[in-house]
Amino acid sequence: MKGNESKALASIETDLIIIKKNLDRLSRRLTIGNAKTLVPDIAFTLSTASNMLSDAINSLDLLSSGIDR
């Protein structure tokens, strides 16, 4: 694996770790009693996670295209 590919994979791994931590944090805070008040936090966390996952998927697609050549 080339240096750039290794850095790209490390960046994707970091993004996935961040997504997991944010979802875990939100899950710990979420209860039936406070669900309505957390709607903005839930929406933001899910939107951010979705964008980060899309970026990660695109990066992995690019990396795999480069490897397939």
Side-chain angles (χ1 to χ4, degrees):
M1 186 177 303
K2 296 177 186 172
N4 289 342
E5 293 169 348
S6 181
K7 287 180 185 176
L9 286 175
S11 176
I12 293 168
E13 180 183 17
T14 300
D15 285 349
L16 294 175
I17 291 168
I18 290 168
I19 291 168
K20 183 182 180 330
K21 285 182 180 180
N22 287 339
L23 291 173
D24 288 347
R25 185 179 307 122
L26 184 60
S27 178
R28 283 191 305 273
R29 291 176 52 204
L30 184 61
T31 64
I32 292 173
N34 69 357
K36 287 184 181 180
T37 61
L38 286 179
V39 167
D41 290 342
I42 293 167
F44 177 78
T45 300
L46 292 176
S47 175
T48 301
S50 178
N51 290 334
M52 291 175 77
L53 287 171
S54 291
D55 290 346
I57 290 167
N58 291 336
S59 295
L60 289 171
D61 284 343
L62 289 172
L63 283 173
S64 68
S65 295
I67 292 172
D68 291 342
R69 292 182 193 171

